């Protein structure tokens, strides 16, 4: 407990024990020991007997004095570190040398940790250049502020002692981490796992709503998440640690293809931007691009001015710096960026249909990093010349049918809603990622408009899409929320057949996530489904014995709800919430199907 005192020439318990063992007059020896090791203030000696008269133990007195001096010293260290005195470096380094031998003494440890914490702030700085060694090569030379830190020997002692490492401040840990990537990785890894779990948990949340979904939180709100704040604190202003985190994210994205790592890459940069950490933001080549895109995500729209700015950043990548496109592609592969870009495209389809614009740049991040070919992919021109017209023809068919329903029966050209789709539409859904992304958001658009006919026409073809994108968690999360607007239609055998038999149930046995989303949907809409059909769906969706716990838990909740429903009378349905979606519906008679509004 008192290790280190002899190194400073201060007696400890062992010295007192030896003195008492060898002395002939113990009382005199104790009195002498107290005089030599007590507070060396002559005027105090005559005052101490008064404390004895009041029954105050000497230990309490000395402890109170010690605590006061320690607190004053701790405050003084901070003042020195923040000051401008030329000799402040020497003062702190001298204090560290004197106090470090007592670092394991609990009563002194706060002072030592305070010096270790503030020494980097007070030390002289020198600048060096280093090359960011990332997966896809040397991305750019970054300027790193290197500080005359805590002596390396003391850092190693702290790192080797688990108890000391645990209590030392993050300012000291940064110095340890920047030369120990494996140790830093051990600290960061649990946070990255936690982040992915939280994102996936949001996609499988118990809430099913078109108004409150995965994309509802603003960028600023998302950056207040625990993981982003912790990573921001761990990095501080240290460019080398920031670069390490980016390497971890690139590696994990390459290995898992999980787009949530792209979200974290953007959120981390913008969190540092919020704190005005110019030491990092000024050297990250993606900063201005990410800043502009973040504003678009916040406003949920990409206007023409910002579209030109974003394209200008891409066009401004100089020859020899093409590797930067690897990081930019990760920024654009962020689901929040994709969501904003594609919604903007759908919203302004007629204006953008003749322009070779933003949707092309949001794809191919994984392929670019994996292949090491850093070149902006060009948009297949047939996506514009064939796919988009085919998608527009679906809208035309819908409006044509709606208009015809108003005509006398003898003037109607077709009494039934069209069921087939243009070959070019289905072809590009299967073969082109950009076309598929736009097609999926078009399906969400017509679902949000409660257009049952168009949805029944389109949903079955999503069984076969590019890389099974229609069975991805993000699309299924949004679709299930949008389908709540058509909850009454689940009482129809035909509608349920399209949603379940011809779409979800085609892959639920091989894709656990589809199984979970199907159960989530039924948890909210089971009371709308025909009882006979509900019984069939329950039997079909019953998880196997080797099924995962989340699926089993959802199935159990569904069974419990169905049992409760049998025991209690049905409750009257609540009126659906009023939606202000910023769209322009076409007025139609109540007896005819609702059409898809103009894009």
């Amino acid at each position: 407990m008192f290790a280190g005192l002899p190194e400073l020439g201060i007696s400890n318990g062992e010295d007192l024990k030896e003195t008492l063992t060898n002395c002939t007059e113990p009382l005199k020896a104790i009195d002498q020991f107290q005089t030599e090791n007590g507070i060396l203030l002559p005027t105090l000696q005559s005052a101490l007997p008064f404390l004895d008269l009041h029954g105050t133990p000497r230990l309490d007195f000395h402890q109170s004095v010690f605590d006061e001096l320690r607190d004053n010293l701790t405050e003084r260290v901070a003042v020195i570190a923040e000051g401008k005195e030329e000799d402040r470096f020497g003062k702190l380094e001298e204090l560290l040398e004197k106090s470090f031998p007592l670092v394991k003494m609990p009563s002194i440890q706060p002072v030592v940790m305070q010096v270790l914490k503030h020494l980097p702030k007070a030390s002289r700085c020198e600048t060096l250049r280093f090359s960011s060694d990332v997966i896809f090569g040397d991305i750019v030379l970054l300027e790193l502020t290197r500080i005359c830190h805590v002596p390396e020997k003391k850092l190693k002692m702290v790192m080797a002692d688990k108890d000391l490492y645990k209590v030392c401040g993050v300012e000291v840990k940064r110095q340890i981490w920047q030369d120990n990537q494996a140790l830093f990785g051990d600290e960061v890894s649990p946070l990255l796992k936690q982040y992915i779990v939280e994102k996936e948990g949001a996609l499988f949340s118990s809430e099913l709503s078109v108004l409150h979904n995965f994309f509802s939180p603003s960028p600023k709100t998302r950056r207040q998440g625990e993981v982003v704040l912790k990573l921001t604190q761990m990095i501080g202003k240290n460019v080398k640690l920031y670069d390490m985190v980016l390497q971890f994210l690139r590696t994990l994205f390459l290995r898992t293809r999980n787009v949530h790592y792209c979200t974290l890459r953007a959120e981390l940069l913008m969190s540092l931007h919020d704190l005005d950490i110019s030491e990092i933001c000024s050297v990250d080549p993606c900063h201005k691009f990410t800043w502009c895109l973040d504003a678009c995500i916040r406003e949920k729209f990409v206007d023409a001015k910002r579209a030109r700015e974003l394209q200008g950043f891409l066009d401004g990548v100089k020859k020899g710096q093409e590797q930067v496109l690897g990081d930019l592609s990760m920024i654009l592969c962020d689901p929040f960026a994709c969501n904003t870009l594609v919604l903007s495209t759908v919203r302004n389809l007629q204006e953008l249909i003749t322009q070779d614009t933003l949707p092309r740049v949001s794809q191919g991040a994984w392929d670019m990093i994996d292949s090491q070919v850093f070149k902006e992919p060009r948009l297949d021109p047939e996506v514009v010349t064939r796919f988009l017209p085919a998608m527009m023809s679906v809208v035309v068919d819908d409006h044509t049918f709606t208009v015809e329903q108003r005509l006398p029966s003898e003037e109607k050209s077709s009494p039934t809603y069209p069921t087939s789709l243009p070959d070019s539409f289905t072809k590009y859904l299967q073969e082109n990622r950009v076309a598929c992304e736009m097609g999926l958001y078009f399906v969400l658009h017509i679902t949000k408009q409660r257009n049952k006919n168009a949805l029944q026409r389109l949903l079955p073809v999503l069984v076969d899409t590019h890389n099974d994108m229609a069975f991805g968690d993000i699309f299924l999360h949004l679709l299930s929320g949008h389908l709540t607007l058509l909850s009454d239609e689940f009482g129809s055998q035909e509608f349920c057949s399209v949603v379940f038999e011809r779409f979800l149930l085609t892959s639920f046995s091989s894709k656990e996530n589809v199984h979970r989303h199907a159960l989530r949907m039924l948890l909210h809409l089971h009371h709308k489904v025909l009882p006979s059909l509900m019984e069939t769906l329950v039997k079909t969706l019953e998880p196997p014995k080797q099924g995962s716990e989340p699926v089993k838990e959802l199935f159990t909740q569904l069974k419990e709800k169905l049992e409760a429903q049998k025991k209690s009378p049905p409750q009257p349905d609540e009126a659906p919430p009023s939606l202000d979606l910023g769209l322009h519906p076409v007025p139609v008679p109540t007896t005819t199907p609702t059409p898809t509004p103009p894009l």
Side-chain angles (χ1 to χ4, degrees):
M1 181 176 179
F2 299 103
L5 288 176
E7 295 180 36
L8 301 177
I10 300 174
S11 302
N12 59 11
E14 291 298 320
D15 295 319
L16 178 59
K17 180 180 179 181
E18 184 178 351
T19 299
L20 292 175
T21 302
N22 298 324
C23 72
T24 55
E25 297 184 48
L27 292 178
K28 287 186 178 181
I30 292 173
D31 185 61
Q32 183 178 356
F33 187 89
Q34 289 178 328
T35 302
E36 293 175 352
N37 296 282
I39 299 175
L40 302 179
L41 189 63
T43 55
L44 179 64
Q45 297 304 316
S46 58
L48 286 177
F50 287 101
L51 293 175
D52 299 334
L53 292 174
H54 288 281
T56 302
R58 297 287 180 91
L59 174 61
D60 292 351
F61 167 72
H62 283 88
Q63 186 64 52
S64 65
V65 172
F66 176 85
D67 292 342
E68 185 71 21
L69 291 173
R70 182 187 57 199
D71 293 343
N72 288 339
L73 180 57
T74 303
E75 293 176 7
R76 182 61 182 158
V77 168
V79 171
I80 293 174
E82 300 296 342
K84 297 181 180 180
E85 301 162 354
E86 291 185 3
D87 63 339
R88 66 185 185 279
F89 316 118
K91 287 181 179 179
L92 291 181
E93 289 170 356
E94 183 181 355
L95 182 57
L96 180 64
E97 287 298 323
K98 290 183 176 180
S99 62
F100 196 80
L102 307 176
V103 69
K104 292 187 179 182
M105 187 183 297
S107 56
I108 299 293
Q109 192 177 81
V111 176
V112 183
M113 291 303 167
Q114 180 79 337
V115 178
L116 290 172
K117 173 183 175 180
H118 286 282
L119 189 57
K121 295 182 181 179
S123 299
R124 303 176 184 86
C125 299
E126 56 177 303
T127 297
L128 69 118
R129 308 284 285 181
F130 82 95
S131 180
S132 176
D133 183 18
V134 296
I135 292 173
F136 46 80
D138 295 341
I139 184 172
V140 67
L141 284 177
L142 300 177
E143 187 175 89
L144 171 68
T145 301
R146 187 178 182 181
I147 306 171
C148 302
H149 300 304
V150 177
E152 185 177 352
K153 180 180 178 181
K154 291 180 172 54
L155 287 178
K156 288 182 177 180
M157 291 175 65
V158 172
M159 183 174 65
D161 191 304
K162 291 183 179 180
D163 293 331
L164 289 181
Y165 176 78
K166 185 177 180 180
V167 299
C168 73
V170 69
E171 295 84 357
V172 182
K173 288 180 178 177
R174 289 188 196 123
Q175 300 178 52
I176 296 174
W177 292 333
Q178 70 176 15
D179 295 319
N180 293 272
Q181 186 170 358
L183 180 60
F184 186 55
D186 291 340
E187 294 276 358
V188 169
S189 181
L191 294 175
L192 301 184
K193 291 178 182 177
Q194 178 185 339
Y195 184 85
I196 298 301
V197 169
E198 289 174 355
K199 288 296 181 186
E200 292 177 347
L203 290 171
F204 290 104
S205 68
S206 57
E207 184 177 10
L208 215 63
S209 169
V210 69
L211 295 177
H212 304 288
N213 57 47
F214 181 75
F215 294 110
S216 296
S218 68
K220 197 90 169 181
T221 300
R222 288 188 283 115
R223 292 197 288 272
Q224 300 307 308
E226 180 184 3
V227 172
V228 176
L229 292 178
K230 280 188 176 180
L231 286 174
T232 303
Q233 182 191 35
M234 290 169 71
I235 291 169
K237 299 180 180 181
N238 194 306
V239 180
K240 192 172 182 181
L241 294 181
Y242 177 69
D243 188 59
M244 284 185 193
V245 173
L246 296 193
Q247 290 185 50
F248 296 150
L249 294 177
R250 295 183 196 109
T251 303
L252 290 167
F253 177 55
L254 180 63
R255 185 183 303 161
T256 65
R257 302 195 184 198
N258 192 320
V259 292
H260 298 312
Y261 291 115
C262 301
T263 305
L264 182 55
R265 195 263 185 260
E267 288 180 352
L268 183 59
L269 175 55
M270 289 309 300
S271 176
L272 294 166
H273 167 90
D274 292 342
L275 296 173
D276 197 23
I277 308 296
S278 58
E279 291 85 349
I280 292 176
C281 293
S282 62
V283 296
D284 188 331
C286 300
H287 174 233
K288 290 184 178 179
F289 182 89
T290 308
W291 187 6
C292 180
L293 187 58
D294 184 76
C296 297
I297 296 172
R298 183 179 64 248
E299 296 170 7
K300 299 181 180 180
F301 183 66
V302 183
D303 58 28
K305 178 183 177 182
R306 287 211 168 98
R308 288 192 296 270
E309 289 179 10
L310 292 171
Q311 188 61 53
F313 288 127
L314 295 173
D315 295 338
V317 176
K318 299 178 182 177
K319 188 175 182 180
Q321 293 185 347
E322 291 84 358
Q323 299 92 338
V324 175
L325 290 174
D327 259 14
L328 290 175
S329 64
M330 279 189 71
I331 298 295
L332 282 163
C333 204
D334 167 17
F336 290 86
C338 288
N339 178 67
T340 303
L341 293 170
V342 183
L343 280 178
S344 300
T345 303
V346 172
R347 181 174 168 181
N348 292 307
L349 189 55
Q350 290 193 1
E351 177 186 346
L352 300 178
I353 200 168
T354 57
Q355 301 177 16
D356 189 11
T357 54
L358 277 175
R360 62 178 174 160
V361 304
S362 64
Q363 313 300 332
W366 188 91
D367 296 325
M368 188 180 296
I369 297 175
D370 185 49
S371 65
Q372 300 286 292
V373 177
F374 303 100
K375 184 178 180 181
E376 182 185 352
R378 309 308 298 178
L379 180 68
D380 183 349
E382 292 196 351
V383 171
V384 173
T385 60
R386 298 189 62 187
F387 174 75
L388 289 179
M391 192 164 77
M392 292 303 298
S393 74
V394 175
V395 180
V396 172
D397 289 345
D398 185 71
H399 284 286
T400 301
F401 176 77
T402 302
V403 171
E404 285 193 344
Q405 299 311 298
R406 303 174 185 172
L407 301 175
S409 56
E410 62 273 9
E411 297 183 24
K412 295 179 181 179
S413 61
S414 175
T416 59
Y417 192 86
T419 56
S420 62
L421 288 165
D423 292 339
S424 56
F425 182 80
T426 54
K427 176 179 182 291
Y428 280 93
L429 280 180
Q430 298 166 7
E431 298 177 2
N432 187 280
R433 182 181 179 90
V434 176
C436 184
E437 193 86 59
M438 287 192 287
L440 294 180
Y441 272 81
F442 176 64
V443 171
L444 294 174
H445 171 75
I446 58 105
T447 308
K448 187 181 288 187
Q449 296 309 303
R450 300 179 173 90
N451 192 331
K452 180 189 73 172
N453 288 331
L455 180 63
Q456 290 182 162
R457 182 185 183 189
L458 288 165
L459 203 54
V461 304
L462 300 187
V463 170
D464 188 7
T465 53
H466 181 79
N467 286 342
D468 280 342
M469 289 173 63
F471 293 119
D473 287 330
I474 292 176
F475 175 72
L476 292 178
H477 169 87
L478 294 174
L479 179 65
S480 58
H482 287 28
L483 282 172
T484 58
L485 299 173
L486 289 164
S487 59
D488 289 337
E489 302 297 339
F490 280 85
S492 160
Q493 179 80 32
E494 180 186 11
F495 186 78
C496 282
S497 175
V498 170
V499 173
F500 292 102
E501 295 176 25
R502 299 178 64 187
F503 180 57
L504 292 174
L505 298 187
T506 61
S507 66
F508 86 99
S509 60
S510 59
K511 298 180 183 296
E512 180 191 309
N513 69 309
V514 179
H515 199 162
R516 291 177 67 180
H517 283 291
L519 289 171
R520 284 179 65 242
M521 195 181 304
L522 287 176
L523 272 172
H524 287 264
L525 301 170
H526 62 87
H527 58 288
K528 297 287 187 178
V529 181
L530 293 173
S532 58
L533 180 57
M534 191 68 222
E535 185 177 347
T536 303
L537 288 173
V538 169
K539 290 179 180 178
T540 304
L541 291 170
E542 183 173 3
K545 291 183 179 179
Q546 66 272 21
S548 69
E549 287 304 315
V551 172
K552 290 180 178 178
E553 184 178 345
L554 282 171
F555 185 77
T556 301
Q557 292 176 17
L558 177 60
K559 293 277 286 184
E560 291 173 351
K561 281 202 170 187
L562 292 174
E563 288 298 325
Q565 183 180 352
K566 291 178 183 178
K567 296 177 182 178
S568 60
Q571 299 295 322
D573 294 332
E574 295 182 3
S578 174
L579 297 177
D580 181 11
L581 302 174
L583 300 168
H584 309 284
V586 176
V588 294
T590 56
T591 57
T592 58
T594 304
T596 303
L599 298 171

